[in-house]
Amino acid sequence: MSIETKEQALPVMQVGGEVPTPPEPAAASHARGWILPGLTLVAGRAIGALWTRYFQAEPPAGTSAPTTARERGVALPGPLAERAGIRTAPATAESVVPTIDVLGHVEFDSARVADVGGRLEGRVVAVHVELGDRVEPGDPIVSIEGPDLGEAVAELLEARAELAAASAHAQRQTALRREQLTTATEHEAATAEHAALEARVRGAEQRLGALGIAPGSIDAATRGRALPRTVTRRAPIAGEVVERHVHLGAVVDPTEPLVRIADLSAVWILLSLFERDLGRVRVEDRVEVLREVSPGLVFHGVVEHVGAVVDAETRTADVRVAVENVERRLRPGQFVHAVLHVGGEARHDAILLPETAVSQIQGAPSVFVRIAPDRYDARPLELGPAHGARIEVRRGLAVGDEVVLE
């Protein structure tokens, strides 16, 4: 039987048994009228749409369910299947290394980042680095002058002077005590005063140290030879200046970070894993990282930490991967694609299908299988993890089944 169109006659697809002879019921004729044009416009996924909209309908009352390959599924003559672009291939088993494909992004290694702040309120009188400069520990970064520095120096000078007087007084009291020319109370008071002033001097020295004044500068200040007017903040680590938030003449706050230095020879990759995969990942699992801008370049790393908290909205947790980056090809903020090798799972044989071959039919993942030269049947599947653009089939297919790929 055929349906005539203005251009040409198209063969009708058959659903179970022989094609009925005309006249055909109006409802069936109408249904087939919209099935055929759609099938000639799209590829194999059109079968899934047709199955759910027409071929999965309940059998007419009084008829029995199909029992043979000829009666099951969708009948599609060869020429029409060719026009629809349907392509099949036999299912084969492959040796699978358990992996998880996941997206992530590059972050600084927090142990290799240092923020250089002002430590005191004041005005910037010199900036010694530019964005992108390479620095070593101790290199000058920024110089600041402010009232806090003068107050700290004055406090130290005063404490040192009082300590010198207290030290001399304590020594005299000790000598007099040996000659029993002073009381024990007076001797103890002199000793306590000396100890208190020693503590005050140490506190003043530590305050200057916290402001960035070197010990040599402190000693020079106490001798009155040179009172520092500025404090120079220096690089605490070797690395690259990746952020600079200061300029000459700027007024800075003690809590503001002025310059960020980062050692980019090693970085972190933060992967967002769905909660269903978290239990499969272990610390020290191997990871291959590919940049989206150059997928042929592979970086190797290991899992350092598996997140303990799942985000309530995305249902994912971060997995931290440490990667060597000596050539600086990975940059913080970049998006990457990673293949995580699951060390706790053994290699096994499995059927892998392209994800594009799997359709949702009545809420279940399914594929279409060619069960006869011109007939296709839907097959529900139990799926396993994805492996790149393919997905593992745990149940529902056998090796050799002709699967519709597109």
Side-chain angles (χ1 to χ4, degrees):
M1 175 182 175
S2 64
I3 296 178
E4 296 292 332
T5 67
K6 291 184 179 181
E7 291 80 11
Q8 59 180 339
L10 295 177
V12 174
M13 297 189 304
Q14 305 172 25
V15 185
E18 298 297 330
V19 179
T21 58
E24 188 175 7
S29 176
H30 174 71
R32 287 164 171 77
W34 56 259
I35 291 170
L36 292 175
L39 191 58
T40 60
L41 294 176
V42 296
R45 281 187 171 271
I47 298 179
L50 295 177
W51 183 272
T52 57
R53 296 180 62 181
Y54 181 78
F55 294 105
Q56 283 288 333
E58 293 293 331
T63 62
S64 59
T67 57
T68 67
R70 180 171 175 77
E71 294 174 325
R72 294 197 315 270
V74 180
L76 195 63
L80 190 56
E82 184 177 350
R83 287 181 57 188
I86 292 175
R87 183 171 63 89
T88 64
T92 59
E94 301 180 31
S95 182
V96 175
V97 177
T99 60
I100 301 173
D101 282 23
V102 62
L103 297 178
H105 65 278
V106 184
E107 282 281 356
F108 295 110
D109 182 338
S110 65
R112 298 170 181 263
V113 178
D115 286 329
V116 180
R119 293 191 184 179
L120 77 162
E121 184 176 353
R123 185 176 63 88
V124 176
V125 296
V127 181
H128 305 285
V129 295
E130 296 291 342
L131 196 64
D133 284 355
R134 176 76 186 178
V135 297
E136 297 296 329
D139 286 352
I141 302 298
V142 61
S143 297
I144 304 169
E145 66 175 6
D148 289 350
L149 180 59
E151 292 176 3
V153 171
E155 181 183 351
L156 179 60
L157 291 173
E158 181 182 351
R160 283 284 180 90
E162 292 181 2
L163 177 61
S167 179
H169 179 61
Q171 290 176 2
R172 286 195 300 270
Q173 286 293 325
T174 300
L176 291 173
R177 181 59 184 161
R178 282 198 296 265
E179 299 295 330
Q180 295 186 349
L181 297 177
T182 187
T183 65
T185 301
E186 291 177 338
H187 179 259
E188 290 172 358
T191 303
E193 182 182 7
H194 179 265
L197 287 170
E198 278 188 329
R200 181 181 171 190
V201 168
R202 287 196 299 270
E205 290 175 344
Q206 290 177 358
R207 181 184 177 189
L208 280 172
L211 293 177
I213 301 298
S217 298
I218 295 175
D219 294 340
T222 59
R223 291 192 296 267
R225 294 194 319 211
L227 297 179
R229 299 180 56 189
T230 63
V231 59
T232 298
R233 300 290 289 111
R234 300 181 180 275
I237 63 171
E240 181 180 326
V241 178
V242 295
E243 294 181 20
R244 176 184 145 171
H245 307 289
V246 65
H247 58 273
L248 189 65
V251 177
V252 298
D253 184 89
T255 61
E256 291 180 353
L258 306 179
V259 172
R260 169 166 284 193
I261 301 170
D263 177 5
L264 298 178
S265 62
V267 293
W268 285 348
I269 306 295
L270 296 185
L271 307 177
S272 298
L273 251 69
F274 287 107
E275 55 184 323
R276 66 172 179 265
D277 292 324
L278 289 173
R280 303 173 59 198
V281 181
R282 300 288 185 273
V283 173
E284 299 296 331
D285 280 350
R286 294 185 303 108
V287 181
E288 295 173 354
V289 179
L290 299 90
R291 297 186 307 175
E292 293 189 351
V293 295
S294 57
L297 186 62
V298 180
F299 301 85
H300 300 276
V302 294
V303 174
E304 278 193 341
H305 174 73
V306 180
V309 179
V310 175
D311 186 275
E313 294 184 1
T314 64
R315 310 310 303 169
T316 63
D318 284 340
V319 172
R320 189 177 74 228
V321 179
V323 177
E324 293 295 323
N325 187 38
V326 177
E327 297 182 359
R328 311 294 198 276
R329 293 187 175 182
L330 291 172
R331 292 177 171 83
Q334 280 184 324
F335 287 104
V336 296
H337 170 250
V339 179
L340 201 157
H341 294 262
V342 184
E345 299 178 12
R347 180 189 294 266
H348 62 280
D349 291 339
I351 295 174
L352 299 180
L353 289 179
E355 289 188 347
T356 54
V358 180
S359 302
Q360 292 291 324
I361 298 181
Q362 293 185 339
S366 306
V367 292
F368 281 88
V369 178
R370 185 162 66 182
I371 57 176
D374 61 351
R375 190 168 289 274
Y376 303 83
D377 193 19
R379 189 77 58 81
L381 303 177
E382 179 184 332
L383 300 177
H387 302 272
R390 299 188 297 173
I391 193 164
E392 183 176 332
V393 177
R394 288 178 172 169
R395 188 175 302 172
L397 279 183
V399 173
D401 286 344
E402 286 284 334
V403 180
V404 175
L405 301 180
E406 60 178 37

